[in-house]
Coordinates of all heavy atoms in Angstrom, one line a residue:
R817 N 33.6 -16.6 9.6 CA 32.6 -17.7 9.6 C 32.7 -18.4 10.9 O 31.7 -18.8 11.5 CB 32.9 -18.7 8.4 CG 32.4 -18.2 7.1 CD 32.9 -19.1 6.0 NE 32.1 -19.0 4.8 CZ 32.4 -18.1 3.8 NH1 33.3 -17.2 4.0 NH2 31.6 -18.1 2.7
L818 N 34.0 -18.7 11.4 CA 34.1 -19.3 12.7 C 33.5 -18.5 13.8 O 32.7 -19.1 14.7 CB 35.6 -19.6 13.0 CG 36.2 -20.8 12.6 CD1 37.7 -20.8 12.7 CD2 35.7 -22.0 13.4
A819 N 33.7 -17.3 13.8 CA 33.1 -16.4 14.8 C 31.6 -16.4 14.8 O 30.9 -16.6 15.8 CB 33.6 -15.0 14.6
N820 N 31.0 -16.3 13.6 CA 29.6 -16.4 13.5 C 29.0 -17.7 14.0 O 28.0 -17.8 14.6 CB 29.2 -16.2 12.0 CG 29.4 -14.7 11.6 OD1 29.4 -13.8 12.4 ND2 29.5 -14.5 10.3
C821 N 29.8 -18.8 13.6 CA 29.3 -20.1 14.0 C 29.4 -20.3 15.6 O 28.4 -20.9 16.2 CB 30.2 -21.2 13.3 SG 29.4 -22.8 13.3
Y822 N 30.4 -19.8 16.2 CA 30.5 -19.8 17.6 C 29.4 -19.1 18.3 O 28.9 -19.4 19.4 CB 31.9 -19.3 18.1 CG 32.9 -20.4 18.1 CD1 34.1 -20.3 17.3 CD2 32.8 -21.6 18.8 CE1 35.1 -21.2 17.2 CE2 33.7 -22.5 18.8 CZ 34.9 -22.4 18.0 OH 35.9 -23.4 18.0
T823 N 28.9 -18.0 17.7 CA 27.8 -17.2 18.3 C 26.5 -18.1 18.2 O 25.7 -18.0 19.1 CB 27.5 -15.9 17.6 OG1 27.1 -16.1 16.2 CG2 28.7 -15.0 17.6
M824 N 26.4 -18.9 17.2 CA 25.2 -19.8 17.0 C 25.2 -20.9 18.1 O 24.1 -21.4 18.4 CB 25.2 -20.3 15.6 CG 24.9 -19.3 14.6 SD 25.1 -19.9 12.9 CE 25.0 -18.4 11.9
V825 N 26.3 -21.2 18.6 CA 26.3 -22.3 19.7 C 26.6 -21.6 21.1 O 26.9 -22.2 22.0 CB 27.4 -23.3 19.5 CG1 27.1 -24.1 18.2 CG2 28.8 -22.7 19.4
N826 N 26.4 -20.3 21.1 CA 26.4 -19.5 22.3 C 27.8 -19.5 23.0 O 27.9 -19.4 24.2 CB 25.4 -19.9 23.3 CG 24.0 -19.7 22.7 OD1 23.7 -18.6 22.2 ND2 23.1 -20.6 22.8
D827 N 28.8 -19.7 22.2 CA 30.2 -19.7 22.8 C 30.8 -18.3 22.5 O 31.5 -18.1 21.5 CB 31.1 -20.8 22.2 CG 32.4 -20.9 22.9 OD1 32.8 -20.0 23.6 OD2 33.0 -22.0 22.8
V828 N 30.3 -17.3 23.3 CA 30.7 -15.9 23.1 C 32.2 -15.7 23.1 O 32.7 -14.9 22.4 CB 29.9 -15.0 24.1 CG1 30.3 -13.6 23.8 CG2 28.4 -15.2 23.8
D829 N 32.8 -16.3 24.1 CA 34.3 -16.1 24.2 C 35.0 -16.5 23.0 O 35.9 -15.7 22.5 CB 34.8 -16.9 25.4 CG 34.3 -16.3 26.8 OD1 34.0 -15.2 26.8 OD2 34.3 -17.1 27.8
E830 N 34.8 -17.7 22.4 CA 35.4 -18.1 21.2 C 35.0 -17.2 20.0 O 35.9 -16.9 19.2 CB 35.1 -19.5 20.8 CG 35.9 -20.6 21.7 CD 37.4 -20.5 21.5 OE1 37.8 -20.7 20.3 OE2 38.1 -20.2 22.4
A831 N 33.8 -16.8 20.0 CA 33.3 -15.9 18.9 C 34.2 -14.6 18.9 O 34.6 -14.1 17.9 CB 31.9 -15.6 19.1
K832 N 34.3 -14.0 20.1 CA 35.1 -12.8 20.3 C 36.5 -13.0 19.8 O 37.1 -12.1 19.1 CB 35.1 -12.3 21.7 CG 33.7 -11.8 22.2 CD 33.8 -11.1 23.5 CE 34.2 -12.1 24.6 NZ 34.2 -11.4 25.9
V833 N 37.1 -14.1 20.1 CA 38.5 -14.4 19.7 C 38.6 -14.3 18.1 O 39.5 -13.7 17.6 CB 39.0 -15.8 20.1 CG1 40.3 -16.2 19.4 CG2 39.1 -15.8 21.6
Y834 N 37.7 -15.0 17.4 CA 37.8 -15.0 16.0 C 37.3 -13.7 15.3 O 37.8 -13.4 14.2 CB 37.0 -16.3 15.4 CG 37.8 -17.5 15.7 CD1 37.5 -18.3 16.8 CD2 39.0 -17.8 15.0 CE1 38.3 -19.5 17.1 CE2 39.7 -18.9 15.3 CZ 39.4 -19.8 16.3 OH 40.2 -20.8 16.6
Y835 N 36.3 -13.0 15.9 CA 36.1 -11.7 15.4 C 37.3 -10.8 15.4 O 37.6 -10.0 14.5 CB 34.9 -11.0 16.2 CG 33.5 -11.6 15.8 CD1 32.7 -12.0 16.8 CD2 33.1 -11.6 14.5 CE1 31.4 -12.4 16.5 CE2 31.9 -12.1 14.1 CZ 31.0 -12.5 15.1 OH 29.8 -13.0 14.8
R836 N 38.0 -10.9 16.5 CA 39.2 -10.0 16.7 C 40.3 -10.5 15.7 O 41.1 -9.6 15.2 CB 39.7 -10.1 18.1 CG 38.8 -9.3 19.1 CD 39.4 -9.2 20.5 NE 38.6 -8.3 21.4 CZ 37.9 -8.7 22.4 NH1 37.9 -10.0 22.8 NH2 37.2 -7.8 23.1
R837 N 40.4 -11.7 15.5 CA 41.4 -12.2 14.5 C 41.1 -11.7 13.1 O 42.0 -11.4 12.3 CB 41.5 -13.7 14.6 CG 42.2 -14.2 15.8 CD 42.4 -15.8 15.8 NE 43.0 -16.2 17.0 CZ 43.2 -17.5 17.4 NH1 42.9 -18.5 16.5 NH2 43.8 -17.9 18.5
C838 N 39.8 -11.8 12.8 CA 39.4 -11.2 11.5 C 39.7 -9.8 11.4 O 40.2 -9.4 10.3 CB 37.9 -11.5 11.3 SG 37.2 -10.8 9.8
I839 N 39.4 -9.0 12.4 CA 39.7 -7.6 12.4 C 41.2 -7.3 12.3 O 41.6 -6.4 11.6 CB 39.1 -6.9 13.7 CG1 37.6 -6.9 13.6 CG2 39.7 -5.5 13.8 CD1 36.9 -6.6 14.9
S840 N 42.0 -8.1 12.9 CA 43.5 -7.9 12.8 C 44.0 -8.1 11.4 O 45.0 -7.4 11.0 CB 44.2 -8.9 13.7 OG 44.1 -10.3 13.2
L841 N 43.3 -9.0 10.6 CA 43.7 -9.2 9.2 C 43.0 -8.2 8.3 O 43.5 -7.8 7.2 CB 43.3 -10.6 8.7 CG 44.1 -11.7 9.3 CD1 43.6 -13.0 8.7 CD2 45.6 -11.5 9.1
D842 N 41.9 -7.7 8.7 CA 41.1 -6.8 7.9 C 40.4 -5.7 8.7 O 39.3 -5.8 9.2 CB 39.9 -7.6 7.1 CG 39.1 -6.7 6.2 OD1 39.4 -5.5 6.0 OD2 38.1 -7.2 5.7
P843 N 41.1 -4.6 9.0 CA 40.7 -3.6 9.9 C 39.5 -2.8 9.5 O 39.0 -1.9 10.2 CB 41.9 -2.7 10.0 CG 43.1 -3.4 9.6 CD 42.5 -4.4 8.5
R844 N 39.0 -3.1 8.2 CA 37.8 -2.4 7.7 C 36.6 -3.4 7.5 O 35.7 -3.1 6.8 CB 38.1 -1.7 6.5 CG 39.2 -0.6 6.6 CD 39.3 0.3 5.4 NE 38.1 0.9 5.0 CZ 37.6 2.1 5.6 NH1 38.3 2.6 6.5 NH2 36.5 2.6 5.1
N845 N 36.6 -4.5 8.2 CA 35.6 -5.5 8.1 C 34.4 -5.2 9.0 O 34.5 -5.5 10.2 CB 36.2 -6.9 8.4 CG 35.2 -8.0 8.0 OD1 34.1 -8.1 8.3 ND2 35.7 -8.9 7.2
D846 N 33.4 -4.6 8.4 CA 32.3 -4.1 9.2 C 31.5 -5.3 9.9 O 31.0 -5.2 11.0 CB 31.3 -3.3 8.4 CG 30.8 -4.1 7.2 OD1 31.6 -4.2 6.2 OD2 29.6 -4.5 7.1
E847 N 31.4 -6.4 9.2 CA 30.7 -7.6 9.8 C 31.4 -8.0 11.1 O 30.8 -8.4 12.1 CB 30.7 -8.8 8.8 CG 29.8 -8.5 7.6 CD 29.8 -9.7 6.7 OE1 29.2 -10.8 7.1 OE2 30.3 -9.7 5.6
A848 N 32.8 -8.0 11.1 CA 33.5 -8.5 12.2 C 33.3 -7.5 13.4 O 33.1 -8.0 14.6 CB 34.9 -8.7 11.9
F849 N 33.4 -6.2 13.1 CA 33.1 -5.2 14.2 C 31.7 -5.4 14.8 O 31.5 -5.3 15.9 CB 33.4 -3.8 13.6 CG 34.8 -3.4 13.6 CD1 35.5 -3.3 12.4 CD2 35.5 -3.1 14.8 CE1 36.8 -2.9 12.4 CE2 36.8 -2.8 14.7 CZ 37.5 -2.6 13.5
Y850 N 30.8 -5.6 13.9 CA 29.4 -5.7 14.3 C 29.2 -7.0 15.2 O 28.6 -6.9 16.3 CB 28.5 -5.8 13.1 CG 27.0 -6.0 13.5 CD1 26.3 -5.1 14.2 CD2 26.4 -7.2 13.2 CE1 25.0 -5.3 14.5 CE2 25.0 -7.5 13.5 CZ 24.3 -6.5 14.2 OH 23.0 -6.7 14.5
G851 N 29.8 -8.1 14.7 CA 29.7 -9.3 15.5 C 30.3 -9.2 16.8 O 29.8 -9.7 17.9
L852 N 31.5 -8.6 16.9 CA 32.2 -8.4 18.2 C 31.3 -7.5 19.1 O 31.2 -7.8 20.3 CB 33.5 -7.7 18.0 CG 34.3 -7.4 19.2 CD1 34.6 -8.6 20.1 CD2 35.7 -6.7 18.8
G853 N 30.7 -6.4 18.6 CA 29.9 -5.5 19.4 C 28.6 -6.3 19.9 O 28.3 -6.1 21.0
C854 N 28.1 -7.1 19.1 CA 26.9 -7.9 19.5 C 27.3 -8.8 20.7 O 26.5 -9.1 21.6 CB 26.3 -8.7 18.4 SG 25.4 -7.7 17.2
C855 N 28.5 -9.4 20.6 CA 28.9 -10.4 21.7 C 29.0 -9.6 23.0 O 28.6 -10.0 24.0 CB 30.3 -11.0 21.3 SG 30.2 -12.3 20.0
L856 N 29.6 -8.4 22.9 CA 29.8 -7.6 24.1 C 28.5 -7.1 24.6 O 28.3 -7.0 25.8 CB 30.7 -6.4 23.8 CG 32.2 -6.8 23.4 CD1 32.9 -5.7 22.9 CD2 32.9 -7.4 24.7
L857 N 27.5 -6.8 23.7 CA 26.2 -6.4 24.1 C 25.5 -7.5 24.8 O 24.8 -7.3 25.8 CB 25.4 -5.9 22.9 CG 24.0 -5.3 23.2 CD1 24.1 -4.1 24.1 CD2 23.4 -4.9 21.8
A858 N 25.6 -8.7 24.3 CA 25.0 -9.9 24.9 C 25.6 -10.2 26.3 O 24.8 -10.7 27.2 CB 25.2 -11.1 24.0
E859 N 26.8 -9.8 26.5 CA 27.4 -10.0 27.8 C 27.1 -8.8 28.7 O 27.6 -8.7 29.9 CB 28.9 -10.1 27.7 CG 29.4 -11.4 27.0 CD 30.9 -11.4 26.9 OE1 31.5 -10.4 26.5 OE2 31.5 -12.5 27.2
E860 N 26.3 -7.9 28.3 CA 25.9 -6.7 29.0 C 27.1 -5.8 29.3 O 27.1 -5.0 30.3 CB 25.1 -7.0 30.3 CG 23.8 -7.8 30.0 CD 23.0 -8.0 31.2 OE1 23.4 -7.6 32.3 OE2 21.9 -8.6 31.1
K861 N 28.1 -5.8 28.4 CA 29.2 -4.9 28.5 C 28.9 -3.7 27.6 O 29.5 -3.5 26.5 CB 30.5 -5.6 28.1 CG 30.9 -6.8 29.0 CD 32.1 -7.5 28.6 CE 32.5 -8.6 29.5 NZ 33.7 -9.4 29.1
H862 N 28.0 -2.9 28.1 CA 27.4 -1.8 27.3 C 28.4 -0.8 26.9 O 28.4 -0.3 25.8 CB 26.2 -1.2 28.0 CG 25.1 -2.2 28.3 ND1 24.6 -2.4 29.5 CD2 24.6 -3.2 27.5 CE1 23.7 -3.4 29.5 NE2 23.7 -3.9 28.3
E863 N 29.3 -0.4 27.8 CA 30.3 0.6 27.4 C 31.3 0.0 26.4 O 31.6 0.7 25.4 CB 31.1 1.0 28.7 CG 30.3 1.8 29.7 CD 30.2 3.3 29.3 OE1 30.8 3.6 28.3 OE2 29.5 4.0 30.0
D864 N 31.7 -1.3 26.6 CA 32.7 -1.8 25.7 C 32.1 -2.1 24.3 O 32.9 -2.1 23.3 CB 33.2 -3.2 26.3 CG 34.0 -3.0 27.6 OD1 34.4 -1.9 27.8 OD2 34.0 -4.0 28.3
C865 N 30.8 -2.3 24.2 CA 30.3 -2.7 22.9 C 30.2 -1.5 22.0 O 30.0 -1.6 20.7 CB 28.9 -3.4 23.0 SG 27.6 -2.3 23.4
L866 N 30.2 -0.3 22.6 CA 30.0 0.9 21.7 C 31.1 1.1 20.6 O 30.7 1.4 19.5 CB 30.0 2.2 22.6 CG 28.8 2.3 23.6 CD1 28.8 3.6 24.3 CD2 27.4 2.2 22.8
S867 N 32.3 0.9 21.0 CA 33.4 1.2 20.0 C 33.3 0.3 18.7 O 33.3 0.8 17.6 CB 34.8 1.0 20.6 OG 35.8 1.2 19.7
P868 N 33.2 -1.1 18.9 CA 33.0 -1.9 17.7 C 31.7 -1.6 16.9 O 31.7 -1.6 15.7 CB 33.1 -3.3 18.2 CG 32.8 -3.2 19.6 CD 33.3 -1.9 20.1
L869 N 30.6 -1.3 17.6 CA 29.4 -1.1 16.9 C 29.4 0.2 16.2 O 29.0 0.3 15.0 CB 28.2 -1.1 17.9 CG 27.8 -2.4 18.5 CD1 26.7 -2.3 19.5 CD2 27.3 -3.4 17.4
E870 N 30.0 1.3 16.8 CA 30.2 2.6 16.1 C 31.1 2.4 14.9 O 30.8 3.0 13.8 CB 30.7 3.6 17.1 CG 29.7 4.0 18.1 CD 30.3 4.9 19.2 OE1 31.6 4.9 19.4 OE2 29.5 5.5 20.0
K871 N 32.1 1.6 15.0 CA 33.0 1.4 13.9 C 32.2 0.7 12.7 O 32.4 1.0 11.6 CB 34.2 0.5 14.3 CG 35.2 0.2 13.3 CD 36.1 1.4 12.9 CE 37.2 1.1 12.0 NZ 38.1 2.2 11.7
A872 N 31.4 -0.3 13.1 CA 30.6 -1.0 12.0 C 29.7 0.0 11.3 O 29.6 -0.1 10.1 CB 29.8 -2.1 12.7
V873 N 29.1 0.9 12.1 CA 28.2 1.8 11.5 C 29.0 2.8 10.6 O 28.5 3.1 9.4 CB 27.4 2.6 12.5 CG1 26.6 3.8 11.9 CG2 26.4 1.7 13.3
R874 N 30.1 3.2 11.0 CA 30.9 4.1 10.1 C 31.4 3.4 8.9 O 31.4 4.1 7.8 CB 32.1 4.6 10.9 CG 31.8 5.7 12.0 CD 33.1 6.4 12.4 NE 34.1 5.5 13.0 CZ 34.1 5.2 14.3 NH1 33.2 5.8 15.1 NH2 35.0 4.4 14.8
L875 N 31.7 2.2 8.9 CA 32.1 1.4 7.8 C 31.0 1.1 6.8 O 31.2 1.0 5.6 CB 32.8 0.1 8.2 CG 34.2 0.3 8.8 CD1 34.7 -1.0 9.4 CD2 35.2 0.8 7.9
N876 N 29.8 1.0 7.3 CA 28.6 0.6 6.5 C 27.4 1.2 7.0 O 26.6 0.6 7.7 CB 28.5 -0.9 6.4 CG 27.5 -1.4 5.4 OD1 26.8 -0.6 4.8 ND2 27.4 -2.7 5.2
R877 N 27.2 2.5 6.6 CA 26.0 3.2 7.1 C 24.7 2.7 6.6 O 23.6 3.0 7.1 CB 26.2 4.7 6.8 CG 27.3 5.4 7.5 CD 27.2 6.9 7.4 NE 26.0 7.4 8.1 CZ 25.9 7.6 9.4 NH1 27.0 7.4 10.2 NH2 24.8 8.1 9.9

Side-chain angles (χ1 to χ4, degrees):
R817 283 173 161 86
L818 269 169
N820 289 337
C821 198
Y822 276 119
T823 63
M824 292 170 189
V825 295
N826 297 315
D827 191 339
V828 176
D829 289 336
E830 283 297 300
K832 289 189 296 183
V833 167
Y834 286 101
Y835 282 131
R836 288 188 172 113
R837 288 184 182 177
C838 178
I839 290 166
S840 70
L841 292 180
D842 182 7
R844 298 187 62 79
N845 193 305
D846 56 287
E847 290 182 68
F849 279 109
Y850 176 67
L852 179 58
C854 286
C855 287
L856 295 166
L857 184 60
E859 293 179 314
E860 299 185 0
K861 296 178 179 178
H862 301 129
E863 291 281 358
D864 294 339
C865 78
L866 292 183
S867 176
L869 288 175
E870 288 171 344
K871 182 75 171 178
V873 170
R874 285 197 296 273
L875 290 170
N876 187 355
R877 294 194 63 84

